[in-house]
Amino acid sequence: MTAQTFQLPDDCSPLIRAVFDYWVSIRPRDGLPGRRQFDPVEILPLSPNLWLVDVERNPLRFLIRRIGMEIVNFTGHDPTGQYYDEIFPNFDASTAKKHMAHAAEMGMPAYRRGATNSNPKKTFIMSERITLPMASDSVTVDMLLNLTSYSDAIGGEHVELIGASLEDSLMLDAARESACQSNIGNAG
């Protein structure tokens, strides 16, 4: 991963890849997708693994708006309507907080693969999580679209990826489009 791009590992979960590709497809050219672009029906098969989080600022807090049944079944409780820092005692020191804060502040995705820590009785389970920023004004992140995928694979490589800033991403998009237009012109 370079400072300019965010790329998922080639071996990431197909669910992670699908939600990331969907997020990219609804992203406007000049910013981040918001609730108005997001249509849960378009990714209905992913809904058991999806969770939506409202971003509040001053102080930065994360309120769980919706959580899929796969996650509820795995963790053993439904935290809808609760703040992360109230549910998880060590949230402030967690990678989840680090990734969510980065996505909220920088407007870039974050990805993690490793042993699960959302259910202490199931630490042998591997999980993958992606956090995708959304903004109703295309700039200020006010919601996070997340997906968690579980696997009973023992071990596995721990991976964390955090994207660059929204500005870097937009510059990269512009450069890619320019190169694409150049290639189209040269094809004829």
Side-chain angles (χ1 to χ4, degrees), residues 14-20 22 40 42-51 66 68 146-148:
L15 299 175
I16 297 281
R17 173 78 55 201
V19 76
F20 178 73
Y22 174 74
E42 291 182 15
I43 54 173
L44 196 57
L46 304 177
S47 66
N49 297 77
L50 286 177
W51 38 293
R66 183 228 179 264
N146 302 272
L147 186 136
T148 301

Side-chain angles (χ1 to χ4, degrees), residues 1 6-8 16 20 23 95-104 107-113 128-133 144-147 159-164:
M1 184 176 88
F6 180 87
Q7 294 184 1
L8 290 169
I16 297 281
F20 178 73
W23 179 80
T95 58
K97 166 91 184 259
K98 179 176 96 174
H99 288 180
M100 292 168 76
H102 180 83
M108 288 299 295
Y111 168 87
R112 177 192 183 274
R113 176 175 49 211
E128 291 181 73
R129 177 185 65 235
I130 190 162
T131 300
L132 302 164
L144 299 173
L145 172 62
N146 302 272
L147 186 136
V159 178
E160 287 187 46
L161 301 173
I162 298 179

Side-chain angles (χ1 to χ4, degrees), residues 11 26 36 41 44 65 67 72 76 81 89 114-115 126 129 133 158-159 167 172 180 188:
D11 64 345
I26 64 169
R36 70 181 173 271
V41 172
L44 196 57
R65 174 190 283 207
I67 194 155
V72 170
M126 294 292 288
R129 177 185 65 235
H158 179 87
V159 178
E167 291 79 19
L172 181 64
C180 182

Side-chain angles (χ1 to χ4, degrees), residues 55-117:
V55 175
E56 296 182 3
R57 299 181 183 278
N58 300 324
L60 186 62
R61 291 185 82 194
F62 303 99
L63 178 70
I64 300 171
R65 174 190 283 207
R66 183 228 179 264
I67 194 155
M69 287 309 296
E70 181 73 18
I71 299 163
V72 170
N73 292 337
F74 181 83
T75 60
H77 69 282
D78 183 350
T80 301
Q82 296 178 300
Y83 288 95
Y84 261 85
D85 58 354
E86 294 173 349
I87 302 166
F88 300 106
N90 298 322
F91 179 67
D92 286 338
S94 71
T95 58
K97 166 91 184 259
K98 179 176 96 174
H99 288 180
M100 292 168 76
H102 180 83
E105 293 168 351
M106 301 301 293
M108 288 299 295
Y111 168 87
R112 177 192 183 274
R113 176 175 49 211
T116 187
N117 49 14

